[in-house]
Amino acid sequence: MFKCIVIFLTLAIGITYGRLEVANEWSGGFQGALVIPVTSEITSGWKLILQFNHAAWLGDLESQINNQIFTYKNKDWNAQLSRGSEFRFEFVASGGVTPRDLVGVLFNGQPINMGSGSVVVPEVTTNPTGSTSTFSPTFNPTGSTPTFETEAPISSTTAAPLPSMTPTQVANSTGATIVPVANSKYNYASVLHASLLFYEAQRAGKLPADNRVSWRGDSMLMDKGDKGEDLTGGYFDAGDYVKFGFPMAGFTTVLAWGAIDYEDAYIASGEINQIRQAIRWSTDYFIKAHVSEREFYGQVGDGHADHASWSRPEDWTQSRPAWKVTAGNPGSELVGETAAALAAASIVFRKADPAYASLLLKHARQLYDFANENRGSYSNSISNAADFYKSWSGYGDELGWSAAWLLRATGEHRYQLEVEKHYMEFGLNRQATGFDWDNKLAGVQVLMAKITQQTNYRQQAESFCNHIVRQAPKTPKGLVFMDQWGALRHAGNVAFICLQAAEIGINTQEYVDFASRQINYILGDSGRSYLIGFGENYPQRPHHRSSSCPSRPASCDWNSYNSPSPNPQVLIGALVGGPDRNDNYEDNRGDYIKNEVATDYNAGFQSAVAGLLHYQLK
C-alpha cells in the first residue's frame, strides 16, 4: 500500500508554504517530493538547491558539494512554470538520511528556511524481500532522470554550506543505521597501501623522485609512435612488459570508480594521494597516446617477442613496435574503454586539479565520439593484441559503459540518450555473467542504476548480483568460482560490483556479507593469503619477470625463471591468479594461470577493499 506522509516547510516565496511529501521511508533513506507553489510566472528557467545536514546521496549527481548541497536546473521542456501551478520535484535520498535531515532549500535564488511548520516523523517501511524499496523511483515531472548539470561551487552568500568535515567525521556524525561488515579482522587500510605499491612496481617510463619501489628504475624510454610521438609511461600489463591499452584502460576505470565512491576509505587510510597518482599514471599516458582526434595508440610492445624474453624492463634496449587505431582502422572497445577511464578520472580530479579534470573530459568526449562514429573491433585493427586480449564480448558494452561514465561526469542528457540507444541496439538489458577487462555489461547496469535509480536498471543489477551471490558456483571454502584463469580477479570484480549495488540499497546486508567473504578468503580465511607481502603464507614465486630478478647489477635471464627459490624482490600488494575450483593452489612461478599477477587483477579487488573499509567507517 502506498503511503504519503506530509512534512511542511516554510518557504520564503511570498507568504506561500511548500511541502515535502514522503511517499516511502526505509532505514537510511526515503522517497520524497518537494512541492512549491509558483506565485509568479517563470519564463526563463529555474534552479533548485537542496541542502542536508550531513552527507547524503541523491541519484548520482555531479552538481553537489560535500554530498550535502545538491543543485538541479531545468531543461528546455520544463523551463516555464505558470503562476498558480505547483512545482513538484520528486527524488530519492539515501546514504543514511531521513526527511528531517533536509535543512535548506533554495528556489530560483530565494533562500527557504525551515520554519515552525508541522514536521511529522515518517514511519519506516520494510520490504520483506530484503531490498530497500518496491516503488519505481521518479525524479521529475516526466519520471525520467533528474535534471542536473555541473555547477560551480555555491557561494556562501547564496546558501551557507555546513562546516567542512572529513569523510570520517561525516560518517561518525550521521547517526545512520550501520551496515556491519561480516568479518573485519583484516586491516583493509594496509591492504590498500600494499595494492597501490604493486601499481607502482608496474610503472613504465621515467619514474618520479618519490618512487617507493627501490628495485625498479626507469624503463622503456624509447617507446614512441610512428611519427616519433612520445609514448613513454603507462603500465606494464602483468608479469611482462607489454603496454596493452585495452586492459590498462579497464583497470583504470575500476580504480577511479572506487576512488570516487569510497573516497572516505582512501582518506582514512592515508592513501588518497597515492590512488590519485596511480590513476594519473594511466591517464597521462592515454593523453599522450591520443595523438589526434581520431588516432589513438592502443599497444606498445610485441607480446610474442616480449614473452620470449625473461629479464628486467630496465635492461631492455630494443625498439618496440606501437599499434594505433584510426578512423579507417577503428577500435571501439579500446577507445570506448579509454573514454570511460578518462571520464571517471575527471571526477576523481575535479576538486584536486580542476584544469586537469577538464583536460581529461575533453579527451573523453572526443574518444567516445571516435568509438561510436567509427565502429569496429580493435582486435581486427591490432592483430597482436588479439593473441592476448581479444575482445570476445564485442564493443556494444564499451559504448554503453563509456556513455554512462560521460553521463556521470557531465550530467548531460545527451549521454543518457546514448546509453539508451546502445541498450536497444546491443541488448544491454540481458543477464550479465561477469565483469572484467572485456565484458562491461554488469558495470553498465549497476552504474546506470546508481546514476538514475530507474527500476529497469535496478532490476538488472539485482538480477546479476542475486545470481552471483546465491547461485554461481563456489569452492568448498566459499570462493565464487567463475573462471580458472585468474579466479581471484573475478571474485574481486564481482565483490566490487555488488558492493556498488548494495550502496543504492539493493539487498545491502547480503551483498556486503558476500563481498566480505570473497575479500577475506583472499586475505587469509582460505588458510593462506593470496596477496603478496600481506598476511600468512603469501605467495613468494609469482610469475613476474622483474621481481624474479636478483638485485642489479647481477644478470637476469631464464635461470631466474627456473630457480626454485622465492623471488628475490617482494612484489608487495600483487594479487595472484589463485586456486582451482577445489581451493587447490601451488606457489609455482611457471604456472601463469594460478600464479601470474596483473594490473587488472588488483583493480576490482582493491576497489572492493575500499568499499568494505567505507562500510567500517560508517
Side-chain angles (χ1 to χ4, degrees), residues 466-489:
N466 281 352
H467 170 75
I468 293 297
V469 173
R470 301 172 186 175
Q471 298 175 326
K474 312 292 191 302
T475 69
K477 293 182 180 179
L479 179 73
V480 60
F481 196 85
M482 305 180 69
D483 193 283
Q484 66 169 348
W485 198 310
L488 297 179
R489 165 255 310 266

Side-chain angles (χ1 to χ4, degrees), residues 9 22 112 122 192 206 233 310 312 334 345 352 361 381 405 407 415 425 497 509 518 524 540 556 578 586 616 618:
L9 303 177
V22 180
I112 299 170
L192 293 179
K206 179 75 174 176
W310 194 273
R312 300 182 189 88
L334 163 69
L361 200 52
S381 297
W405 272 110
L407 172 61
Y415 292 112
E425 181 178 359
I497 288 293
Q509 184 64 66
Q518 301 311 303
Q540 298 183 54
C556 181
E586 181 182 357
Q616 284 187 359
K618 285 191 174 185

Side-chain angles (χ1 to χ4, degrees), residues 347-515:
I347 303 172
V348 173
F349 288 100
R350 180 165 291 153
K351 294 178 182 178
D353 192 340
Y356 187 63
S358 295
L359 178 63
L360 295 174
L361 200 52
K362 173 187 173 182
H363 283 274
R365 290 179 188 274
Q366 291 179 355
L367 287 169
Y368 171 76
D369 290 341
F370 179 14
N372 189 38
E373 295 170 9
N374 301 100
R375 294 186 178 186
S377 176
Y378 102 106
S379 303
N380 296 330
S381 297
I382 304 180
S383 58
N384 193 271
D387 294 334
F388 304 94
Y389 284 101
K390 181 177 179 177
S391 172
W392 299 98
S393 67
Y395 54 73
D397 52 332
E398 277 80 26
L399 291 180
W401 177 238
S402 52
W405 272 110
L406 279 161
L407 172 61
R408 182 168 184 180
T410 68
E412 294 175 10
H413 186 56
R414 167 206 167 184
Y415 292 112
Q416 184 181 353
L417 295 178
E418 292 287 296
V419 174
E420 291 168 356
K421 284 196 302 184
H422 299 320
Y423 252 75
M424 292 287 290
E425 181 178 359
F426 299 105
L428 300 184
N429 61 344
R430 65 186 183 274
Q431 174 74 51
T433 57
F435 178 74
D436 56 33
W437 59 266
D438 180 31
N439 192 337
K440 314 305 184 326
L441 184 59
V444 179
Q445 294 171 351
V446 173
L447 182 59
M448 287 302 291
K450 290 199 72 171
I451 294 171
T452 71
Q453 285 286 346
Q454 288 179 196
T455 303
N456 60 322
Y457 298 124
R458 289 177 64 92
Q459 289 174 342
Q460 293 157 15
E462 184 169 15
S463 177
F464 171 73
C465 287
N466 281 352
H467 170 75
I468 293 297
V469 173
R470 301 172 186 175
Q471 298 175 326
K474 312 292 191 302
T475 69
K477 293 182 180 179
L479 179 73
V480 60
F481 196 85
M482 305 180 69
D483 193 283
Q484 66 169 348
W485 198 310
L488 297 179
R489 165 255 310 266
H490 294 290
N493 286 347
V494 296
F496 172 60
I497 288 293
C498 293
L499 278 175
Q500 286 288 319
E503 191 79 6
I504 55 173
I506 302 176
N507 300 328
T508 301
Q509 184 64 66
E510 181 181 11
Y511 294 173
V512 171
D513 286 346
F514 166 78

Side-chain angles (χ1 to χ4, degrees), residues 31 90 92 133 135-139 143-144 452-455 458:
Q31 177 195 18
E90 300 184 1
V92 173
S133 58
F135 55 84
S136 300
T138 57
F139 294 83
S144 62
T452 71
Q453 285 286 346
Q454 288 179 196
T455 303
R458 289 177 64 92

